[in-house]
Amino acid sequence: MKLGLIAGNGRFPFLVLDAARALGHEVTIVAVKEEAFADLEAAAAGPPPAAVHWISLGQLGKCLEIFAGAGVAHAVMAGQVKHTKIFGGVVPDLTLLSVLTRLRSRNTDALIAAVADVMRDHGVTLLDSTEFLRPLLAAPGVMTTRAPSEEEQRDFAFGYQMADVIAGLDIGQTIAVKHQAVVAVEAMEGTDEVIARAGALAGSGVAIVKVAKPGQDMRFDVPVVGLATIQAMRAAGATALSVDAGRALIFDRDALLAAANEAGMTIVGREIA
């Protein structure tokens, strides 16, 4: 299969690239120059080599032209594009402008779903972003040496009610809870900043709840945690983390769990019915 990879921030694109090439797919990378890491070029050199095309955020038409030229009929979005970009720094081309003028709101779901529709109209099907990374999806149950305490279990149960509502409104996917009170809520700033703010507000003992959206579209905006998440929690004094099993990706799992165990943290995968 000729696969298109739309690369944003972080290590996510590298993992997808490696997995896709291991399965024998020919990969064409469209890298967002404002977000993607520069060393993506070196990773794409192979073997086998993958073509890398750098475009600015907003050049949807150029992205589609590149994929058409490469014979790409399936693509994956991998990596973060900061939500705050919608307030400036994006110069939409005519293709993206046609998308934006039809939107009633510019939240993540509406914007990227509309982009996916335009891609489909141009013969490119957007695959689940986890298509090549199934082994990295969070497992159900306790993943660390330590299980949650009774207090942490109460915070998780309370947090799920709040986080599911916030995620359903496309506000954010992470909240911080302590003693069954919401300490901090994610909007556009990102998980690590929410964790830091929670530590500053409530001190140690905060539980972090990160959820998928109800009916999560796995093509984009899938929750991701990594070693940096644990480092942020440690700095903030947070002791517990919950992610949704099968709907959140865990990067650098062995290192992440080792760091969490060393810090005495607990990590659980919530089972979704």
Side-chain angles (χ1 to χ4, degrees):
M1 179 170 68
K2 293 185 176 181
L3 179 74
L5 171 58
I6 303 172
N9 195 288
R11 308 309 301 181
F12 198 167
F14 295 80
L15 296 171
V16 172
L17 173 61
D18 288 345
R21 286 196 296 201
L23 291 171
H25 299 307
E26 181 181 333
V27 183
T28 297
I29 302 171
V30 171
V32 179
K33 64 175 64 174
E34 294 88 351
E35 297 286 356
F37 289 173
D39 55 352
L40 188 59
E41 289 271 8
V52 182
H53 304 266
W54 293 88
I55 68 171
S56 290
L57 192 62
Q59 292 183 303
L60 178 58
K62 186 173 181 179
C63 174
L64 291 169
E65 288 176 8
I66 291 167
F67 284 161
V72 167
H74 298 85
V76 173
M77 286 185 176
Q80 183 187 42
V81 173
K82 296 180 181 66
H83 295 184
T84 52
K85 296 289 187 183
I86 66 174
F87 296 116
V90 178
V91 180
D93 62 13
L94 291 177
T95 306
L96 182 58
L97 191 61
S98 70
V99 173
L100 296 176
T101 55
R102 297 198 302 264
L103 294 178
R104 292 187 176 182
S105 65
R106 294 192 184 183
N107 59 19
T108 305
D109 279 359
L111 179 56
I112 305 184
V115 168
D117 288 344
V118 171
M119 293 179 68
R120 182 196 60 216
D121 293 342
H122 284 76
V124 180
T125 299
L126 196 61
L127 302 176
D128 286 0
S129 60
T130 61
E131 179 75 20
F132 301 100
L133 302 178
R134 305 288 185 193
L136 302 187
L137 288 169
V142 179
M143 290 179 264
T144 45
T145 303
R146 182 175 76 81
S149 66
E150 291 184 3
E151 179 68 22
E152 287 166 338
Q153 289 176 2
R154 286 192 290 269
D155 280 344
F156 281 157
F158 174 83
Y160 296 144
Q161 300 176 55
M162 306 300 165
D164 285 340
V165 172
I166 292 164
L169 294 171
D170 200 19
I171 294 172
Q173 295 172 292
T174 305
I175 68 167
V177 177
K178 185 174 180 180
H179 301 328
Q180 293 86 68
V182 175
V183 177
V185 176
E186 179 187 31
M188 290 188 175
E189 73 276 39
T191 302
D192 290 353
E193 291 192 30
V194 172
I195 294 170
R197 191 167 73 249
L201 290 170
S204 61
V206 171
I208 306 301
V209 176
K210 190 174 185 71
V211 302
K213 299 170 186 175
Q216 174 76 47
D217 190 330
M218 298 297 285
R219 296 176 299 174
F220 51 82
D221 212 23
V222 175
V224 173
V225 295
L227 188 57
T229 310
I230 302 304
Q231 293 168 340
M233 289 178 62
R234 189 166 193 167
T239 59
L241 171 66
S242 174
V243 294
D244 285 355
R247 299 188 185 183
L249 289 165
I250 299 180
F251 294 165
D252 303 315
R253 184 186 301 258
D254 290 345
L256 179 148
L257 294 179
N261 287 328
E262 181 185 355
M265 296 177 190
T266 182
I267 302 177
V268 302
R270 177 176 67 149
E271 294 191 63
I272 306 295

